[in-house]
Amino acid sequence: EAGVAQSPRYKIIEKRQSVAFWCNPISGHATLYWYQQILGQGPKLLIQFQNNGVVDDSQLPKDRFSAERLKGVDSTLKIQPAKLEDSAVYLCASSLVVGAGDTQYFGPGTRLTVL
Amino acid sequence: GQSLEQPSEVTAVEGAIVQINCTYQTSGFYGLSWYQQHDGGAPTFLSYNALDGLEETGRFSSFLSRSDSYGYLLLQELQMKDSASYFCAVGRDGQNFVFGPGTRLSVLP
């Protein structure tokens, strides 16, 4: 069974530029999460999808971040414009269903550096 | 609000036993999960507790006390490969998750 795929693995941009990350979850997984992990901290949930609907985006900075999950499969997270404090690893995870005990499977992440 | 607390660092020697504690304050608590993350890697699931008590999976065990808002991860027969960061995560209202700040475990030879 293939795992969660993410691309690109690394991205370096200058502040005020735009960037997009892509995630393909495990086949059949209904729930998809985007996390931001700043070095030395725990993952912070940005947005959670159930199929193609948003379950929680309370911590997504909506003035600059956007995400979509068309057709309930893969997803894209965009930052426009980027700030220095956006430098972090962006992790995508998926789970079979939505539930507190359902295992989340994480992708390798995209390491973003904003200069 | 919601918050989770973990020790920032723990050091132990190979073959020893180590306990990583997690205390939490959150509404709508459903359960406590534990994830392991090696440097440069992705978090991987270790265990989940929804009810009070101890869950054992091989060398790893996890405990939860809902009345004390407290849980711990117990690692036995430590190996060098166990050197990693360990995160507790609270599942709330059956859906969204909050991760703790993480505990960096160093296993010495």
Side-chain angles (χ1 to χ4, degrees):
Chain A
E1 179 182 79
V4 176
Q6 290 188 247
S7 67
R9 291 294 312 278
Y10 305 91
K11 190 73 176 179
I12 301 174
I13 61 173
E14 295 187 350
K15 60 183 179 184
R16 291 187 290 274
Q17 287 188 322
S18 302
V19 65
F21 313 127
W22 174 82
C23 172
N24 191 33
I26 293 173
S27 177
H29 279 197
T31 308
L32 185 147
Y33 313 80
W34 282 104
Y35 289 91
Q36 179 193 60
Q37 187 174 27
I38 293 172
L39 187 64
Q41 298 182 17
K44 171 188 166 185
L45 180 67
L46 293 176
I47 189 166
Q48 178 181 342
F49 292 95
Q50 173 77 1
N51 296 310
N52 61 349
V54 176
V55 173
D56 181 10
D57 63 356
S58 57
Q59 297 194 92
L60 186 74
K62 299 180 184 64
D63 58 333
R64 298 185 300 107
F65 286 64
S66 64
E68 60 182 10
R69 189 184 184 195
L70 299 177
K71 302 180 181 178
V73 183
D74 56 353
S75 176
T76 302
L77 177 70
K78 297 180 181 178
I79 307 175
Q80 179 180 13
K83 293 185 176 181
L84 296 177
E85 58 260 36
D86 298 332
S87 293
V89 175
Y90 290 84
L91 295 163
C92 178
S94 70
S95 62
L96 190 59
V97 293
V98 59
D102 199 44
T103 301
Q104 295 184 55
Y105 296 88
F106 283 81
T110 297
R111 184 176 298 274
L112 174 67
T113 302
V114 182
L115 303 176
Chain B
Q2 55 203 4
S3 67
L4 291 89
E5 292 188 6
Q6 302 178 235
S8 58
E9 293 184 9
V10 173
T11 302
V13 296
E14 262 188 308
I17 299 173
V18 71
Q19 178 174 312
I20 299 173
N21 299 321
C22 174
T23 57
Y24 59 87
Q25 289 185 324
T26 185
S27 59
F29 175 83
Y30 263 56
L32 188 70
S33 300
W34 289 91
Y35 284 79
Q36 178 192 61
Q37 186 178 32
H38 288 97
D39 286 348
T44 56
F45 174 81
L46 292 177
S47 68
Y48 173 70
N49 294 70
L51 303 175
D52 287 358
L54 191 68
E55 295 280 344
E56 298 182 63
T57 308
R59 296 188 296 115
F60 294 178
S61 303
S62 57
F63 172 84
L64 176 65
S65 169
R66 296 174 70 106
S67 60
D68 295 324
S69 298
Y70 164 75
Y72 66 73
L73 179 69
L74 191 72
L75 297 85
Q76 302 182 72
E77 301 173 18
L78 279 175
Q79 302 175 9
M80 298 295 290
K81 67 179 181 179
D82 298 329
S83 292
S85 292
Y86 292 84
F87 297 92
C88 58
V90 167
R92 302 188 315 123
D93 298 328
Q95 38 193 41
N96 56 24
F97 293 83
V98 179
F99 278 76
T103 298
R104 188 173 184 86
L105 171 64
S106 298
V107 180
L108 305 178

